Amino acid sequence: MCGILFRLQLKKSFTNDSFHKELWNQLMILNNQRGPDSQGELFKSIQSQSSSLYTVYLTFFGAVLHLRGPSIVKQPLTDNDEEDVLLWNGEIFNGVEIPPGENDTKYLFAALKMSHNIENDNEEKNRILHILQSIEGPYAIIYWQSSKRRLWFGRDCLGRRSLLWNLHSEEDNFILTSVGCKISQMSKSPYFAEVSANGIFYLDLDKMLSSTSWEPFNNFLTLPFGKVNDTLPNPEDLPQLPASSDLSNSYIPAISLKIQDAIDRLIEELGDSVRRRIIDIPRVGSIQDARVAIMFSGGLDCICLAALADRYIPKEEAIDLLNVGFENPRIQQIKKNKKTNISYKDNSIYDVPDRLTGRQGVEELRKIAPNRKWNFVEVNVPFEEACTFKPKIIELMAPSDTIMDLSIAMAFWFAVRGKGQVTSLDDSEIMIDYESKARVILVGVGADELLGGYSRHREAFKQHGWKKLIEEIQLDVDRISTRNLGRDDRIISSHSKESRFPYLASNVVSFLCSLPMYIKADMRYERGIGEKLLLRHVARQLGLFNASFLWKRAIQFGAKTAKMTNENNKEKGDMRVI
């Protein structure tokens, strides 16, 4: 994982005014936080072929978090003659051949340079696009192709890595960066927007100098594996519903041979996705430190990831389960008004819903994997501390800017920071301070979109049946790339850690989209049974019986970051942060 930063300056004479100097320095600081292991900067000046008056100045900056290979590969990465330049913030889990234990950055660079041997320009461009399209894994890339004076840049088709641009800036200063910022003293601070994940872009320098025009490849990296199976179920496909008197909260729908095959296949596909994302992580620090952590509410999505991770991480290693809870004065006031006896010095103020299900979840994990050291990290966030870091989190999540963005970003930021408490090995009643050193964070994003986990999916079925449910899930799959993964990357990476999303691996998405809807979700059943039905079966097969009946709960409600005060009772999630 890396922080990548690029600037193109187009001026008749190079100037280094105070605004751009301060802006660049701030962007370097923020990108440095993403990559503490190595930082580098590279300058290039290129003369216009059409006019000797113009010189183009290119600046590349890379900050590396070492997560692949035996040694650090510094960025910006160049060849021997320092002509081509690569800035790479990504992980290649499949698609481009990477020998086991090797670094993917240098192999990608070599593959891109091989395309230069193709004489036909269109074929050469198509070859570069083919390489990028074939990558299985999250990425953002900036690549300077010197021979064609061409700048390539873009993100993976799901938008799992952040890349921002200042499209609305002055014409002679173009910036690409993993994370944006504002210069508070300057009124002309640039507006950074997300680079669209629906294509790979390139900027032809010579064409730009003559016409100041872009030549993007829009809609190139689409989701060929993202077409949801729209076959409506036949009546004989559907299990017969039991009498309402038999339909309890712990009812388990019948499992046909077809459904059992889907359960086995999902365990296989999701397990492979988890395995690829947790093997070969370099060890940093003590052998006692966990190399992998999981955002852990105890809910269905994350506990299945934990159980699968246990299969592939050496048994002597710990796994950190990051569980966050916030002091929420509004909730405490409501409890006080109800005469609930609660002390602000008592950790019970952090017994938010996710804390309670998290504790239950880790106990289930300890039963199925008793020899594993599961560090259940209770991250407790006092209201005062949340307020202190709120401005920083708002800056990091930008251009995302709603109340809901902030609620989710705060939960992610404090959880991934990993400063909390764990129970003492000697006495389970004693809590000791603990800070997670894990650099890789598994996150359960994607399960709800693919398996029908949202309340709107149930409502769609209630109103218009299977056809509307399928349409609603297709809509969610189609807009994964435009949702919040860039925001989450900016938040998590600010702690020099990397998020990885096993449910969004192409093999998992492809498999789940291929299944008939009734196998994945059956909203004829009650909440806690019908939504994400297939994953609930998987959980039970993994030995996670209690977790298999838990309802979906958004992190801002589970951790209690939503509406932390009574300052504005009319505050809505889609309102902009002031």
Side-chain angles (χ1 to χ4, degrees):
M1 196 277 295
C2 304
I4 59 177
L5 176 61
F6 168 82
R7 175 174 61 187
L8 181 152
Q9 290 179 300
L10 174 61
K11 294 187 177 182
K12 290 186 178 180
S13 61
F14 181 82
T15 60
N16 195 14
D17 60 86
S18 59
F19 168 72
H20 287 109
K21 184 176 181 180
E22 183 177 358
L23 172 62
W24 185 257
N25 287 339
Q26 287 295 319
L27 291 173
M28 282 201 301
I29 290 171
L30 289 168
N31 278 282
N32 263 335
Q33 293 171 359
R34 300 169 61 93
D37 297 328
S38 170
Q39 297 84 36
E41 194 171 17
L42 178 67
F43 304 92
K44 281 183 173 291
S45 60
I46 299 172
Q47 197 72 35
S48 167
Q49 292 182 344
S50 59
S51 171
S52 60
L53 294 175
Y54 282 98
T55 301
V56 178
Y57 297 91
L58 308 180
T59 310
F60 303 83
F61 177 81
V64 177
L65 178 70
H66 179 219
L67 291 173
R68 298 286 290 273
S71 59
I72 297 171
V73 175
K74 297 182 178 181
Q75 296 197 42
L77 182 59
T78 62
D79 46 17
N80 292 332
D81 52 12
E82 295 193 351
E83 291 296 322
D84 286 11
V85 183
L86 175 64
L87 289 171
W88 169 252
N89 173 28
E91 300 289 346
I92 300 177
F93 298 120
N94 210 349
V96 174
E97 179 99 24
I98 311 293
E102 289 294 328
N103 184 280
D104 53 359
T105 307
K106 61 182 183 181
Y107 280 87
L108 174 63
F109 192 43
L112 291 170
K113 285 182 64 63
M114 284 290 290
S115 65
H116 301 351
N117 298 329
I118 301 173
E119 293 184 5
N120 183 281
D121 187 54
N122 284 332
E123 289 182 10
E124 181 183 14
K125 285 189 288 189
N126 288 335
R127 176 58 185 166
I128 290 175
L129 291 169
H130 174 74
I131 292 169
L132 297 178
Q133 187 185 34
S134 67
I135 292 172
E136 204 297 282
Y139 69 83
I141 186 173
I142 301 170
Y143 173 53
W144 171 249
Q145 187 185 6
S146 179
S147 61
K148 296 298 171 65
R149 294 159 65 95
R150 192 173 284 157
L151 182 76
W152 297 83
F153 60 95
R155 306 160 68 200
D156 73 86
C157 61
L158 292 176
R160 288 166 287 186
R161 290 292 174 261
S162 172
L163 189 65
L164 308 179
W165 56 7
N166 64 331
L167 271 181
H168 303 292
S169 183
E170 57 270 57
E171 292 180 358
D172 60 355
N173 202 286
F174 173 65
I175 293 174
L176 292 164
T177 178
S178 296
V179 58
C181 73
K182 291 182 178 179
I183 309 300
S184 58
Q185 297 81 4
M186 302 288 182
S187 60
K188 58 175 182 177
S189 288
Y191 171 76
F192 287 99
E194 296 265 14
V195 173
S196 173
N198 72 347
I200 292 295
F201 299 87
Y202 75 75
L203 180 61
D204 189 309
L205 200 61
D206 293 319
K207 285 186 178 180
M208 186 199 73
L209 290 171
S210 61
S211 63
T212 321
S213 65
W214 293 90
E215 190 173 355
F217 274 72
N218 283 316
N219 302 318
F220 178 77
L221 292 178
T222 55
L223 273 170
F225 47 80
K227 177 67 171 69
V228 173
N229 186 327
D230 59 3
T231 305
L232 298 177
N234 296 316
E236 58 268 23
D237 292 329
L238 300 175
Q240 186 174 355
L241 291 176
S244 57
S245 58
D246 297 329
L247 196 57
S248 67
N249 289 334
S250 59
Y251 177 80
I252 300 176
I255 298 176
S256 66
L257 291 176
K258 186 179 289 187
I259 292 174
Q260 184 59 54
D261 179 64
I263 294 168
D264 295 337
R265 277 286 308 281
L266 182 53
I267 290 175
E268 178 185 345
E269 298 291 351
L270 186 58
D272 181 66
S273 174
V274 170
R275 181 187 64 81
R276 291 177 183 275
R277 282 155 178 77
I278 61 178
I279 59 172
D280 295 334
I281 300 170
R283 180 170 297 286
V284 177
S286 167
I287 196 170
Q288 304 299 322
D289 294 333
R291 290 185 290 172
V292 174
I294 301 170
M295 287 283 292
F296 192 77
S297 65
L300 181 64
D301 310 343
C302 62
I303 202 169
C304 286
L305 295 183
L308 292 171
D310 174 66
R311 296 184 172 190
Y312 304 108
I313 294 175
K315 296 300 180 185
E316 65 274 11
E317 290 190 27
I319 297 177
D320 288 346
L321 306 174
L322 306 177
N323 181 279
V324 65
F326 285 74
E327 176 189 359
N328 187 313
R330 182 180 65 86
I331 299 296
Q332 302 310 320
Q333 188 60 50
I334 291 172
K335 289 183 177 181
K336 192 174 289 185
N337 292 342
K338 292 181 179 179
K339 298 182 179 180
T340 301
N341 185 20
I342 188 166
S343 167
Y344 274 82
K345 294 181 180 179
D346 189 337
N347 270 4
S348 61
I349 65 172
Y350 299 112
D351 283 351
V352 296
D354 278 1
R355 178 62 46 80
L356 301 180
T357 54
R359 287 174 182 155
Q360 293 167 4
V362 73
E363 288 309 311
E364 275 206 290
L365 289 171
R366 286 169 177 155
K367 287 178 182 177
I368 66 169
N371 296 324
R372 170 77 61 193
K373 183 181 180 185
W374 299 97
N375 290 323
F376 182 67
V377 187
E378 298 189 12
V379 178
N380 299 328
V381 186
F383 178 67
E384 221 174 276
E385 187 177 17
C387 292
T388 298
F389 286 100
K390 179 179 174 180
K392 177 182 178 68
I393 294 169
I394 289 174
E395 181 179 47
L396 285 169
M397 73 182 194
S400 302
D401 62 358
T402 68
I403 298 295
M404 182 179 291
D405 285 319
L406 178 60
S407 295
I408 297 171
M410 288 184 71
F412 272 60
W413 192 87
F414 281 102
V416 172
R417 187 177 65 164
K419 292 183 178 180
Q421 293 182 316
V422 296
T423 55
S424 168
L425 292 176
D426 300 322
D427 187 343
S428 61
E429 297 299 316
I430 297 176
M431 302 293 291
I432 58 175
D433 290 341
Y434 181 85
E435 181 175 352
S436 174
K437 304 296 185 183
R439 288 185 159 196
V440 169
I441 315 294
L442 298 185
V443 186
V445 169
D448 290 311
E449 288 82 357
L450 293 162
L451 288 153
Y454 291 119
S455 58
R456 61 176 175 270
H457 296 146
R458 180 170 291 279
E459 187 61 27
F461 180 83
K462 180 180 177 182
Q463 296 296 328
H464 302 287
W466 290 100
K467 186 173 185 295
K468 184 62 177 177
L469 172 61
I470 292 169
E471 290 174 355
E472 193 68 27
I473 289 183
Q474 182 67 70
L475 181 63
D476 274 330
V477 171
D478 290 343
R479 63 187 180 189
I480 286 174
S481 66
T482 62
R483 296 290 291 276
N484 306 310
L485 296 177
R487 175 203 67 200
D488 297 344
D489 175 63
R490 291 188 291 278
I491 293 296
I492 291 172
S493 298
S494 68
H495 292 297
S496 303
K497 299 182 181 184
E498 179 176 276
S499 55
R500 296 184 179 177
F501 307 100
Y503 289 103
L504 292 179
S506 60
N507 65 304
V508 177
V509 176
S510 180
F511 169 65
L512 288 176
C513 285
S514 72
L515 292 174
M517 185 57 62
Y518 76 92
I519 290 180
K520 296 180 288 190
D522 190 342
M523 302 305 183
R524 299 176 306 153
Y525 296 105
E526 295 297 317
R527 190 179 177 191
I529 301 174
E531 70 277 16
K532 294 191 286 192
L533 175 62
L534 179 59
L535 193 60
R536 296 182 188 280
H537 287 318
V538 164
R540 286 186 280 270
Q541 188 153 315
L542 294 174
L544 305 167
F545 186 82
N546 294 332
S548 72
F549 295 102
L550 292 176
W551 295 4
K552 161 71 180 175
R553 185 171 53 233
I555 191 171
Q556 64 269 33
F557 302 116
K560 292 301 180 187
T561 55
K563 294 186 176 181
M564 295 182 72
T565 71
N566 286 316
E567 292 174 3
N568 187 358
N569 289 326
K570 296 182 179 179
E571 190 176 81
K572 302 294 183 183
D574 59 356
M575 291 180 176
R576 294 184 65 184
V577 176
I578 299 174

